[in-house]
Amino acid sequence: MTFNTLTYFLFLPAIYLAYFFAGERARWCVLLGASLVFYAALRVPYLLAVLALVALATFWCGVAIGGARELAAKRRLLWAGIGIDLLTLVGMKYLPFLSANLQELARLLSVDAGIPQVHPFVAIGVSYYVFQAISYLIDIYLEIEEPERHFGYFALYLCFFPKLLQGPIERAGDLLPQLKQKYQVNRENLRIGALLFLWGLFKKVVIADRLGSYVDNVYRDVHAYQGLQLALATYAYGFQVYLDFSGYTDMALGSALLFNIRLTQNFNSPYLATSIADFWRRWHISLSRWILDYIFKPLQMQWRSGRNWGTAAALFAAFLVSGIWHGAGWGFVVWGGLHGLYMACSVFYRPYQKKIYQRLGLDKSRAQHVFQVFITFNLVSFTWIFFRANSIQDALHVVREIFLDTRVDLGNLYRAILPFAGDFTSVSHFLNLVFFFGVYWLVRKKEVARLELSYVVIISLFVILLGRFNSTSFMYMGY
């Protein structure tokens, strides 16, 4: 069951009605039961077992850390809980990747290591609630939060269904108090929640999935396309992944608002960022905060004697972890490494940045802002090649073609645009694009909450008439 299916369109109001009519003491049971049913609807029984293991281990370790008096005991319990959570994540998500790479290494060394082949598991949602569980334990250890002693509320905190499959990655101090608050009907939250859900659905089924058909065709066989075609597909993918993921987040936030629960806003116009650091303040914000607080800051403190070099190394390591977290594949490692390299280089570039712009006469000018956005967008787009390509070999081919193919003629341009334009050249699809960017600009200026009824009706019509519901999965569900 995903947000863009008829099943979920029936599931959400049914759960809301059950929640509304349930007694105050039973409402958490309704949400927890709904979350388990939502996860079980994926029809992968062991996912529920993995969720139960993480929830029980983390809950017990959290209570034990809170009750321990000696620092050494607290530390042992912390690492025990983190160890169980990480081993669960590695076993579910990375064991097949590690097995395949060890087999390849043994083959290259002509060694018969007897490494068994491990078939991939379905691990939807595991990365998100494991990271959430780890942050919970660390916050208790650092005495930022008190341990939750009600297992039902704790389990609901981990698996609340709107954010279960793709986040946001919520902190205990933000979400747990909201799960315990007394429910009162808030018509404004109901209205904004419905608008957010509709807007997210529009981004997903009308735009992202339509872009995806072109991107998939090109990246399925990159050797059949030339540089300009590959560049266009890469830019299209950048918008596809943003609209797909931010569309999911909007629907998650909208679903949660029905129950007066506010989840973390995960996106803030990331492609208008003026630097890679600014991009990560706007993109997948809950993960960026997690990486900053639980990986970068501890490493920066550990390596502080290295000054700028220590900070650069901590940034590179943190973003390498981010890449590995996204998936078991070398493309994700390279993607995270590139972002880490960008961030590490910025440590040394930043002191000279202002002087360079001053000498060029661009300091604090509109031209400087546009230039920074342009450069940042293209640096990010370059990394998407490795994120999307089916293999490192395919990614390197795309890079070579984009940068070495100098055939920029009208025929080449026509061949590049034709497969993409075929899905948008009809009048209705052209109006669809124009309307999307018009509404998107309105939303940026006025926010979804201030959309007028006429816009809501038009968005609904576009979803019904132009939405693609044949693809039910979201891109980040596999990461």
Side-chain angles (χ1 to χ4, degrees):
M1 187 193 313
T2 54
F3 290 167
N4 57 329
T5 60
L6 177 61
T7 306
Y8 188 77
F9 299 159
L10 299 174
F11 172 82
L12 183 59
I15 296 305
Y16 175 75
L17 288 175
Y19 183 82
F20 178 81
F21 287 109
E24 193 62 41
R25 292 184 178 180
R27 284 190 168 128
W28 70 268
C29 297
V30 173
L31 291 183
L32 180 58
S35 301
L36 296 176
V37 170
F38 180 78
Y39 208 34
L42 295 173
R43 298 180 181 178
V44 185
Y46 62 76
L47 284 179
L48 284 174
V50 171
L51 175 61
L53 172 63
V54 171
L56 287 168
T58 306
F59 175 76
W60 182 85
C61 287
V63 172
I65 291 170
R69 295 184 179 181
E70 296 181 1
L71 184 61
K74 288 177 179 286
R75 187 177 295 114
R76 286 195 297 270
L77 289 164
L78 171 67
W79 284 112
I82 291 177
I84 293 171
D85 292 339
L86 284 180
L87 283 174
T88 302
L89 179 59
V90 170
M92 288 292 298
K93 194 168 182 177
Y94 302 103
L95 199 57
F97 175 71
L98 293 172
S99 171
N101 279 274
L102 288 174
Q103 286 178 340
E104 182 63 20
L105 179 62
R107 186 186 66 80
L108 291 173
L109 297 175
S110 300
V111 175
D112 185 11
I115 300 169
Q117 182 179 0
V118 180
H119 296 287
F121 298 101
V122 175
I124 297 173
V126 177
S127 298
Y128 293 92
Y129 64 72
V130 164
F131 264 33
Q132 192 167 293
I134 291 172
S135 69
Y136 170 80
L137 290 175
I138 294 174
D139 285 351
I140 292 174
Y141 174 77
L142 296 176
E143 298 183 354
I144 296 172
E145 301 293 340
E146 290 291 323
E148 174 56 53
R149 300 184 184 278
H150 188 295
F151 180 72
Y153 279 117
F154 175 78
L156 179 56
Y157 156 70
L158 274 192
C159 67
F160 181 47
F161 70 89
K163 59 92 191 161
L164 176 59
L165 301 185
Q166 290 183 218
I169 302 170
E170 295 292 340
R171 306 291 178 87
D174 295 331
L175 184 54
L176 270 170
Q178 296 189 74
L179 297 175
K180 297 178 179 180
Q181 67 187 1
K182 185 177 180 180
Y183 179 76
Q184 292 181 334
V185 176
N186 187 319
R187 293 186 178 182
E188 186 65 6
N189 279 352
L190 294 175
R191 186 181 72 84
I192 296 174
L195 285 174
L196 272 172
F197 189 90
L198 178 62
W199 177 238
L201 184 65
F202 175 81
K203 289 198 286 187
K204 164 64 177 172
V205 302
V206 178
I207 306 296
D209 286 350
R210 203 169 292 279
L211 289 170
S213 63
Y214 171 68
V215 173
D216 290 344
N217 285 336
V218 174
Y219 268 90
R220 187 177 295 116
D221 183 12
V222 295
H223 297 274
Y225 297 89
Q226 297 174 354
L228 195 57
Q229 295 166 310
L230 293 168
L232 183 60
T234 300
Y235 286 128
Y237 177 72
F239 285 102
Q240 179 200 0
V241 71
Y242 165 62
L243 292 167
D244 188 284
F245 195 13
S246 66
Y248 176 96
T249 299
D250 289 342
M251 286 187 269
L253 267 62
S255 298
L257 265 182
L258 300 183
F259 309 99
N260 292 341
I261 295 170
R262 295 185 178 274
L263 300 179
T264 302
Q265 179 57 258
N266 237 3
F267 294 91
N268 181 22
S269 303
Y271 289 144
L272 295 180
T274 56
S275 67
I276 297 298
D278 187 30
F279 172 79
W280 279 101
R281 284 190 290 267
R282 296 164 174 260
W283 176 275
H284 206 168
I285 295 169
S286 62
L287 175 64
S288 300
R289 286 176 52 202
W290 199 99
I291 295 291
L292 174 70
D293 290 344
Y294 300 113
I295 297 180
F296 169 68
K297 286 182 178 179
L299 288 178
Q300 186 186 35
M301 287 296 295
Q302 189 74 22
W303 299 338
R304 62 185 179 277
S305 60
R307 299 187 178 181
N308 282 348
W309 287 101
T311 299
L315 284 167
F316 183 79
F319 279 94
L320 200 59
V321 170
S322 173
I324 295 170
W325 176 86
H326 275 83
W330 288 111
F332 299 111
V333 175
V334 174
W335 175 82
L338 284 171
H339 276 280
L341 185 62
Y342 292 159
M343 294 290 286
C345 290
S346 71
V347 173
F348 302 99
Y349 165 70
R350 196 178 299 117
Y352 303 99
Q353 181 179 16
K354 187 173 183 178
K355 294 179 181 178
I356 292 172
Y357 284 122
Q358 283 177 339
R359 289 197 174 186
L360 294 174
L362 298 175
D363 188 37
K364 297 182 180 179
S365 67
R366 179 68 176 172
Q368 176 193 345
H369 180 83
V370 172
F371 176 74
Q372 288 177 318
V373 170
F374 175 79
I375 293 297
T376 302
F377 174 72
N378 280 279
L379 287 173
V380 171
S381 297
F382 178 74
T383 67
W384 286 133
I385 295 172
F386 296 90
F387 198 90
R388 176 59 183 84
N390 296 322
S391 66
I392 290 293
Q393 291 75 19
D394 279 4
L396 293 175
H397 173 79
V398 173
V399 172
R400 283 194 301 269
E401 284 294 309
I402 288 176
F403 288 99
L404 298 180
D405 183 6
T406 58
R407 294 167 291 177
V408 184
D409 54 39
L410 292 178
N412 195 14
L413 181 62
Y414 175 76
R415 287 190 296 274
I417 295 175
L418 184 61
F420 174 69
D423 208 25
F424 287 100
T425 47
S426 70
V427 173
S428 62
H429 291 167
F430 175 75
L431 291 175
N432 173 23
L433 277 180
V434 172
F435 175 75
F436 167 73
F437 286 110
V439 174
Y440 185 75
W441 183 256
L442 177 70
V443 170
R444 285 191 63 249
K445 291 293 184 181
K446 295 188 175 182
E447 300 181 349
V448 172
R450 296 172 63 184
L451 285 180
E452 297 175 3
L453 179 60
S454 57
Y455 285 97
V456 176
V457 172
I458 295 172
I459 293 174
S460 302
L461 288 174
F462 271 86
V463 168
I464 294 169
L465 299 175
L466 297 175
R468 287 193 166 184
F469 292 92
N470 55 325
S471 173
T472 58
S473 63
F474 287 79
M475 298 170 67
Y476 256 70
M477 279 178 62
Y479 303 141

